[in-house]
Amino acid sequence: MGWQWEYDPDGRHVIGDAPPAFIAEVEKMANELVRAAAAFYLGGTGYQGEGPKGAFAHVPGGFFNYLVVPRHERLYIMQVTYP
């Protein structure tokens, strides 16, 4: 299936009632981070190294916390913060 991103545990819990323009920025950045992770972790599901630590990504109007899990080929968005 290849690299993808998703909200963890789900979109309603993580991003809730954020404005559509902000959600679009979060999802745009998530797509960019997924492309970077796919290029960096070429082994994907067979990756045996230490997993990366969580990080924050800043987007216009706020930021979000995410975790990359190479063996799942996933970027999980864990928390979103906006005004």
Side-chain angles (χ1 to χ4, degrees):
M1 185 178 256
W3 279 88
Q4 296 181 4
W5 66 267
E6 60 186 69
Y7 296 109
D8 184 24
D10 60 55
R12 184 168 187 246
H13 177 82
V14 176
I15 205 154
D17 60 352
F22 179 73
I23 294 171
E25 291 294 334
V26 168
E27 294 180 354
K28 177 181 169 186
M29 178 62 77
N31 286 324
E32 292 176 22
L33 291 167
V34 163
R35 284 193 296 278
F40 190 79
Y41 299 103
L42 293 175
T45 58
Y47 180 74
Q48 295 296 314
E50 185 176 324
K53 295 179 177 39
F56 291 92
H58 295 271
V59 297
F63 61 93
F64 63 93
N65 182 16
Y66 67 93
L67 177 64
V68 174
V69 181
R71 289 178 290 275
H72 294 177
E73 291 188 335
R74 290 289 182 277
L75 179 140
Y76 295 103
I77 299 175
M78 312 297 285
Q79 180 181 14
V80 174
T81 304
Y82 63 96

